[in-house]
Every structure is written in structure tokens, then in C-alpha cells.
């Protein structure tokens, strides 16, 4: 907050435009993230049956500064209500630290009984809500700090 005020005093009227652009970029990023997570949550609400799958491999996802997270690829078998049987792979939509899942580990999945390809890993629903609410709280604090900084 103090840094923002020093920048404002040093550069005069220019920083409000820069700050406004930064806030608009943050809002755009948040909307993009929230829409992606809301789509996931809409699909997930139909997944009501709990099944067991096995982690068959891990896909490495770079996270900057030499860190990597991993998305588990899960093999599962499901016999639906109408008698159809499917064996499929599911790549988790969210990433995890390497230690969280290991190849061969059994995991729980929620599956849509009417569509055997609509699956999500237990715990991903909670993560989706966290990825919507936590950035929203940060964004609101930033916007409020900027409003206070420029009105005072």
C-alpha cells in the first residue's frame, strides 16, 4: 500500500491509468479462471456415484521457477445403470504436488451414472471452489486498497 502511494507521488497522474489497467487485467484473469471452474462444477454436479480408479501415470505440468506439479492419469472401469461397461482414462483437471499421488495408488472418483465419460477426482470440487473464492477475495482487497489509496 505504501509502495503504491510512493509510486503515485513520484509519477503524478500517470499511475492511476497503469493501476486501472492492472486491475482490469486481474479482473479479466479472474473471470477467465472463474468461468473455467464454473464449467467444471456444472459438469461435476451430475457425478453422483463413487467408484475406485487407479493412478496409471502422472503428467508433469510446469509451474514456473523450476517447480512442477502433476496431473494424475487414472484408469477406471464402470458398469452403468443401463448395463453398459466402460474402461477409460481420466486426466485430472487440477494439478497436485508430486507426493500427493503415486503410480498404482487407488483413488476415488465421482462419475455421472448416465455418462461414463463425465468423471472427476474426489477433492477436485473443493479445489474448484477454492480457485473461485480465494482469488475473488484477493481481487476485492486490491480494488479496495486502490480505491482508498486514491481517495485519501
Amino acid at each position: 500500500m505504501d509502495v503504491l502511494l510512493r509510486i503515485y507521488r513520484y509519477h503524478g497522474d500517470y499511475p492511476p491509468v497503469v493501476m486501472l489497467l492492472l486491475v482490469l487485467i486481474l479482473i479479466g484473469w479472474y473471470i477467465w479462471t472463474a468461468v473455467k471452474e464454473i464449467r467444471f462444477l456444472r459438469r461435476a454436479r451430475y457425478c453422483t456415484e463413487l467408484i475406485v480408479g487407479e493412478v496409471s501415470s502422472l503428467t508433469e505440468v510446469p509451474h514456473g521457477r523450476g517447480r512442477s506439479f502433476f496431473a494424475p492419469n487414472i484408469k477406471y472401469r464402470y458398469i452403468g445403470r443401463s448395463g453398459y461397461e466402460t474402461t477409460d482414462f481420466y486426466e485430472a483437471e487440477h494439478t497436485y504436488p508430486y507426493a500427493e499421488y503415486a503410480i498404482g495408488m487407488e483413488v476415488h472418483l465421482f462419475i455421472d451414472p448416465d455418462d461414463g465419460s463425465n468423471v472427476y477426482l474426489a477433492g477436485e470440487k473443493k479445489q474448484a471452489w477454492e480457485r473461485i473464492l480465494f482469488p475473488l477475495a484477493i481481487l476485492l482487497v486490491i480494488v479496495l486498497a486502490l480505491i482508498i489509496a486514491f481517495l485519501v
Side-chain angles (χ1 to χ4, degrees):
M1 178 80 157
D2 196 36
V3 172
L4 292 176
L5 289 173
R6 275 191 261 139
I7 292 171
Y8 178 72
R9 288 187 187 122
Y10 181 74
H11 291 290
D13 291 334
Y14 182 67
V17 175
V18 173
M19 293 300 171
L20 180 62
L21 283 173
L22 289 175
V23 168
L24 289 176
I25 289 170
L26 281 173
I27 290 171
W29 168 81
Y30 173 74
I31 290 171
W32 177 75
T33 302
V35 165
K36 188 174 88 170
E37 297 299 338
I38 288 169
R39 284 183 182 160
F40 168 78
L41 289 170
R42 282 189 178 165
R43 278 194 343 267
R45 70 179 168 190
Y46 298 109
C47 300
T48 55
E49 289 191 26
L50 184 65
I51 63 171
V52 176
E54 182 179 315
V55 177
S56 59
S57 65
L58 298 169
T59 302
E60 187 174 352
V61 181
H63 256 264
R65 293 190 180 193
R67 293 183 350 191
S68 290
F69 278 36
F70 295 84
N73 299 307
I74 301 160
K75 183 178 182 178
Y76 65 93
R77 184 170 174 258
Y78 178 69
I79 300 173
R81 289 182 185 164
S82 58
Y84 74 90
E85 183 177 326
T86 183
T87 301
D88 207 349
F89 285 93
Y90 169 69
E91 183 176 335
E93 293 190 27
H94 299 95
T95 56
Y96 303 89
Y98 187 77
E100 192 137 350
Y101 293 99
I103 295 173
M105 181 180 186
E106 284 192 351
V107 293
H108 291 94
L109 300 164
F110 285 95
I111 190 165
D112 182 347
D114 299 321
D115 178 8
S117 64
N118 187 11
V119 176
Y120 74 90
L121 186 60
E124 280 188 308
K125 205 171 189 179
K126 179 183 174 200
Q127 272 194 339
W129 278 112
E130 289 171 355
R131 290 182 185 194
I132 291 172
L133 298 176
F134 185 69
L136 178 62
I138 291 173
L139 190 61
L140 289 175
V141 167
I142 290 171
V143 168
L144 200 62
L146 288 172
I147 289 171
I148 291 170
F150 293 115
L151 290 179
V152 173

